[in-house]
Amino acid sequence: MTPTVLLADDEPLVRTGLRALLEQQGLPVVGEAADGGEVLDAVRRTRPDVVLMDVRMPGTDGIEATRQVLAALAEPPKILVVTTFDNDDYVHEALLAGASGFLLKRARKEEIAHAVRTVAAGESLLFPEAIRRLVSGRVPGGEHARAAKRLTRREAEVLRLIATGLSNQDIATALVISLETVKTHVGNVFTKLGAGNRSQAVVIAYESGVVRPGHLGGQ
């Protein structure tokens, strides 16, 4: 199925440009929001599969809007935050809040379309190297480290493979186990870390020290 998109950005020209770009790539835009405070109502009204969310907006920013959408809806859309800088602390907080990935505003139209389709599908980590750069330099520890200690050896191994960008099927092939077993491990990882998606789990993995920026996907 073709995913539908809602645009959340305070700049009308940006929304117009993104709408034209997405529709040119065969991705229908079902609604727009000019402020983070409008996003939840717009999502309820239009039921998009993916929200392209500007992370920095006056009033309610993209982080709080992400929290509101994910907390209020039993089946929320995937949220893809959009930023100007790939080391934006706002993006880091949005991923921890449950956004499925992030995208730079200067990205090519093909990258934007690919990102929307990837987060809509939900089984692959979007731009794993970008997430690694985002968390590089942060000191592991705190509540995330405590949560990560609950992972079994196999679950930690699966999490490291997720951090490389592998899909569930790729992980099954790499570990020579069934796809259903991988899905069970991934579900257990999400539950133990309190993560709602792959991106959030990977950020927590870096912050806990299960995965280190200098050794993507390994110890």
Side-chain angles (χ1 to χ4, degrees):
M1 294 181 63
T2 300
T4 59
V5 182
L6 183 140
L7 304 175
D9 196 295
D10 60 302
E11 293 289 342
L13 285 176
V14 172
R15 297 197 306 273
T16 298
L18 283 172
R19 176 183 283 273
L21 182 155
L22 290 166
E23 292 182 345
Q24 183 184 49
Q25 295 293 308
L27 295 167
V29 175
V30 295
E32 298 183 11
D35 179 81
E38 300 175 6
V39 173
L40 180 56
D41 285 343
V43 167
R44 283 176 166 150
R45 188 171 61 252
T46 62
R47 306 303 298 178
D49 297 304
V50 177
V51 177
L52 273 184
M53 179 94 72
D54 185 10
V55 75
R56 292 175 179 264
M57 290 182 281
T60 303
D61 62 27
I63 302 169
E64 181 57 30
T66 296
R67 292 192 184 107
Q68 290 176 2
V69 169
L70 297 181
L73 302 175
E75 296 183 4
K78 307 294 185 182
I79 296 178
L80 184 59
V81 294
V82 183
T83 182
T84 303
F85 306 105
D86 59 3
N87 62 347
D88 193 338
D89 284 341
Y90 276 65
V91 173
H92 177 261
E93 293 304 314
L95 293 176
L96 283 178
S100 295
F102 74 98
L103 189 66
L104 294 176
K105 288 188 175 180
R106 64 177 180 270
R108 302 190 309 273
K109 61 183 180 180
E110 294 83 6
E111 287 180 317
I112 295 173
H114 167 70
V116 169
R117 292 189 172 98
T118 297
V119 299
E123 273 209 5
S124 295
L125 180 67
L126 182 63
F127 306 144
E129 291 187 6
I131 292 179
R132 175 176 56 81
R133 289 194 300 271
L134 183 70
V135 299
S136 181
R138 297 179 185 272
V139 179
E143 61 179 301
H144 297 315
R146 291 190 292 273
K149 287 181 180 178
R150 301 172 58 202
L151 299 176
T152 66
R153 183 186 298 273
R154 178 63 96 180
E155 288 163 357
E157 186 176 19
V158 167
L159 179 55
R160 293 184 189 105
L161 291 174
I162 290 173
T164 69
L166 295 187
S167 68
N168 287 350
Q169 184 59 65
D170 292 334
I171 294 171
T173 300
L175 298 180
V176 197
I177 57 178
S178 72
L179 179 59
E180 289 306 313
T181 299
V182 172
K183 290 179 179 178
T184 298
H185 287 319
V186 171
N188 289 341
V189 167
F190 286 4
T191 298
K192 290 179 180 181
L193 296 183
N197 58 54
R198 295 169 102 83
S199 293
Q200 190 178 20
V202 169
V203 172
I204 293 171
Y206 282 118
E207 298 223 329
S208 67
V210 173
V211 179
R212 290 182 288 176
H215 300 81
L216 183 60
Q219 295 191 58

